[in-house]
Structure formats: structure tokens, C-alpha cells
Amino acid sequence: MAVFDAALRAQAEQVKARYPAGRERSAIMPLLYLAQSVEGHVTREGMREVGELLAITTAEVEAVASFYTMLRLRETGTHVVSVCTNLSCALVGANDVYEAAHEAAGIPHGEELSEDKLITLHEEECLGCCELAPVVQVNAANHDRVTPERIREIVETLRRGEVPEPARGPAIRDFKQASRVLAGVEVPT
């Protein structure tokens, strides 16, 4: 079954058209995000179709898709909660936040996906907001200076079917919408 139906294929062509002739392969990241927005992760078929759109091999697409942690290659929850545990965040309690997130989401260590498939918990190397540490992203929206208590509140909010208000900008309703925003085909409201 095709990942890019007619409507999504038209959006993919619009994304590709943003890049100058001869540089279309630069559209690989937004096209992978667009493919990810369909099922919540990038499938082999999605990589193949992106390769066809850009006239490159599936292996070239997979090399990019497997490098970036924001591109998911396996089943992913409705919401992705990423906890930065890099040095700046770790020094002010990120490891405690990450542990509290595991407990609140009911996700055993060594796993990322909650049993109900609502939450994927991801330890992130760096979210680039060191001055606001510890930082957590929910569907790519930042939450600053998160404490273990706050991460429990965030998980509870997601379990109630609501999306917690981020530190700035609009909340993104789920990971599929976050992927469409990152692809540049949707603006969160």
C-alpha cells in the first residue's frame, strides 16, 4: 500500500518544488517527515517512495532516516516525549525527570512505547535549550525547567486526552501533526 496517496503526493511535490533544480534531494528531511506523518513512523515503503520522488536510492534515504532521532523507524506512540539528558540538563536533574517519566508513563527501562501505545518516551542527547534545563519536548514543543513533578503532570495531561501547554508557541496535538509541521505543510494553531 502506498504511503503517499494522491493528496499527499501533491504535497510532496510542493515540498520538492521549494528546492532549486538540481538540488531537489535537499527535500529529503521534509519528505521523510511527511511520510512519518502518515503512520507515525517512517516505513520501508515510505523510504522507497521518498527515494522515487527524489530519484535517489532507498539506501540513500535510509542513511538519512536512520541518522536522525526525530525520524522514527519503528512503531511510535500518539505522543513522543523526549527528555534531554545532556550535560546541562543532567546537572540540574534531567535523570530524575527521565526516571519520573518512565514511572508515570508505565514504560519499563529498555523500552520506549507505553503498553497502550499512547506515549513514546525518548532520551534525547540534546534539545538545544541548555539555558532552560532540564528540557522536555512533547510532540516537538518545548517544556522548560521541567521537574519530576512537572513531567508527571505532563504525562497525566496526555493520558486525559489533552496536550500540555508548551513554554512558548502553540501546543502540537500529536506526533503525526508534529511531523507535518516539521515537513512544512501544516502550521500549528
Side-chain angles (χ1 to χ4, degrees), residues 22-108:
R23 303 277 184 203
E24 295 89 354
R25 74 181 298 143
S26 296
I28 193 167
M29 291 289 289
L31 289 175
L32 284 167
Y33 283 128
L34 191 57
Q36 181 170 265
S37 75
V38 176
E39 294 185 60
H41 66 285
V42 181
T43 62
R44 294 281 309 154
E45 181 64 18
M47 286 187 269
R48 187 188 63 71
E49 290 180 38
V50 168
E52 286 176 2
L53 277 162
L54 299 176
I56 59 178
T57 67
T58 303
E60 290 172 295
V61 176
E62 187 172 9
V64 172
S66 64
F67 182 79
Y68 293 99
T69 60
M70 63 281 235
L71 294 167
R72 309 287 304 168
L73 300 179
R74 59 191 167 281
E75 186 178 18
T76 300
T78 303
H79 303 285
V80 174
V81 176
S82 299
V83 179
C84 179
T85 58
N86 205 341
L87 183 59
S88 295
C89 287
L91 288 173
V92 292
N95 292 327
D96 293 336
V97 171
Y98 188 57
E99 184 62 34
H102 269 285
E103 291 169 11
I107 300 172

Side-chain angles (χ1 to χ4, degrees), residues 69-70 72 79-85 97-98 101 119-127 134-143 146 151 175:
T69 60
M70 63 281 235
R72 309 287 304 168
H79 303 285
V80 174
V81 176
S82 299
V83 179
C84 179
T85 58
V97 171
Y98 188 57
I119 296 170
T120 291
L121 178 60
H122 181 72
E123 182 177 11
E124 192 63 61
E125 179 61 29
C126 184
L127 292 172
V135 176
V136 170
Q137 283 186 342
V138 176
N139 305 325
N142 285 354
H143 296 259
V146 176
I151 194 66
F175 186 63

